């Protein structure tokens, strides 16, 4: 099936000239100074579109230019991967596992090609409860304070922050908040010892998995005889 497309209407010469003459006096001399040479070899006003050559469909479309821009971006990262990334080998260091005092785990996400992504400043902090320097009463009070941020299945605490546009500020806020929680949990922890933990947020993950008892399996010999 053939489709026909109508050519968009072109503004009249009178309307174009009216628009050009309405430009500020400071813009008209500048546009003449930046005149472009068209077929006749004479310098003309760049804003005077009435003297432009007729479009002969010899240029790329908007979709074509978008495709070229996408190729340029891909080639940019390919050049970085070939010429820039190998230079980082000089700064490589052997892996060293974290020590017992390094118990905090921070996680961030970087979106390639989107430096201003709204989720880029977000920082997530995870810490194992067994690595906290707290006694049992202090740990119980600490878990009461963190509330649903405690995962009883993995036995870890997870907190996140995206209040600030700068990622370093979110790092600082999480670190300061954790220090305040630890300090508060050490203040008279025995007073909170009788309060139970509210684990309703993790009830779904704490459900025991029902498995078929092995004693109910049909013996192999009996199964073969019945078959």
């Amino acid at each position: 099936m053939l489709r026909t497309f109508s050519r968009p209407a072109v503004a009249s010469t009178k309307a174009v000239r009216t628009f050009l003459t309405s430009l500020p006096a400071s813009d008209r001399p500048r546009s003449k100074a930046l005149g472009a040479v068209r077929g006749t070899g004479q310098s003309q006003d760049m804003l005077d579109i009435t003297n432009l050559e007729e479009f002969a469909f010899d240029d790329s479309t908007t979709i074509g230019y978008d495709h070229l821009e996408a190729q340029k971006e891909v080639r940019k990262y390919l050049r970085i991967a070939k010429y820039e990334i190998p230079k980082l080998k000089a700064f490589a260091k052997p892996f060293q596992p974290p020590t017992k005092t390094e118990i905090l785990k921070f996680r961030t996400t970087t979106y390639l090609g989107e430096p201003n992504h709204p989720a880029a400043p977000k920082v997530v902090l995870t810490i194992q409860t067994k690595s906290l320097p707290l006694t049992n009463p202090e740990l119980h009070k600490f878990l009461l304070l963190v509330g649903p941020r405690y995962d009883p299945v993995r036995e870890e605490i997870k907190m996140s922050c995206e209040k600030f546009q700068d990622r370093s500020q979110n790092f600082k806020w999480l670190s300061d908040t954790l220090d305040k929680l630890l300090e508060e949990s050490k203040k008279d922890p025995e007073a909170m010892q009788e309060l139970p933990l509210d684990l309703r947020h993790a009830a779904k993950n704490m459900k025991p998995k029902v498995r078929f008892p092995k004693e109910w399996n049909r013996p192999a010999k009996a199964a073969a005889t019945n078959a």
Side-chain angles (χ1 to χ4, degrees):
M1 179 179 179
L2 297 178
R3 296 182 179 180
T4 58
F5 299 90
S6 59
R7 187 173 183 180
V10 181
S12 62
T13 305
K14 184 177 180 181
V16 173
R17 291 178 179 175
T18 303
F19 167 74
L20 295 177
T21 55
S22 63
L23 291 174
S26 58
D27 289 345
R28 287 197 293 270
R30 180 174 178 271
S31 63
K32 292 181 180 180
L34 298 175
V37 177
R38 296 286 182 176
T40 58
Q42 298 178 355
S43 177
Q44 300 175 355
D45 191 352
M46 291 181 62
L47 298 179
D48 189 2
I49 62 175
T50 58
N51 296 324
L52 295 179
E53 296 179 356
E54 184 178 358
F55 182 63
F57 299 95
D58 55 350
D59 197 358
S60 180
T61 61
T62 303
I63 299 178
Y65 279 113
D66 292 341
H67 185 64
L68 291 176
E69 290 295 330
Q71 287 186 351
K72 287 173 61 178
E73 186 175 6
V74 171
R75 292 181 179 181
K76 171 187 174 183
Y77 289 109
L78 289 177
R79 286 193 294 269
I80 293 176
K82 183 176 181 179
Y83 299 108
E84 300 297 332
I85 293 181
K87 297 180 182 178
L88 300 177
K89 187 176 180 180
F91 302 94
K93 297 181 180 180
F95 173 75
Q96 296 181 356
T99 62
K100 294 183 179 181
T101 58
E102 299 173 349
I103 59 177
L104 304 182
K105 296 181 181 180
F106 292 95
R107 178 175 60 84
T108 59
T109 305
T110 301
Y111 298 86
L112 294 178
E114 300 184 57
N116 298 322
H117 195 279
K122 182 178 180 180
V123 181
V124 181
L125 167 64
T126 57
I127 180 173
Q128 296 289 329
T129 54
K130 61 182 179 181
S131 61
L132 292 171
L134 299 173
T135 61
N136 290 335
E138 294 173 351
L139 179 60
H140 182 76
K141 184 178 180 180
F142 181 84
L143 297 180
L144 289 173
L145 293 174
V146 297
R149 298 168 184 82
Y150 170 58
D151 186 356
V153 179
R154 298 183 179 181
E155 295 185 354
E156 69 176 12
I157 298 163
K158 182 178 180 181
M159 299 188 301
S160 63
C161 179
E162 50 183 337
K163 288 185 174 183
F164 310 99
Q165 293 296 327
D166 192 349
R167 185 180 290 177
S168 60
Q169 291 178 298
N170 294 325
F171 274 103
K172 179 63 175 175
W173 187 90
L174 288 173
S175 178
D176 293 343
T177 303
L178 180 61
D179 292 340
K180 292 178 182 179
L181 290 172
L182 292 174
E183 182 180 358
E184 187 65 26
S185 62
K186 294 181 180 180
K187 296 179 181 179
D188 194 14
E190 289 76 9
M192 301 291 181
Q193 191 66 24
E194 297 182 358
L195 294 178
L197 293 176
D198 187 1
L199 303 178
R200 288 177 294 179
H201 62 278
K204 183 178 180 180
N205 298 329
M206 295 176 63
K207 290 183 179 180
K209 297 182 179 180
V210 180
R211 297 182 179 179
F212 190 82
K214 295 182 179 179
E215 296 79 7
W216 292 7
N217 292 336
R218 180 181 298 181
K221 293 183 179 179
T225 304
N226 295 335

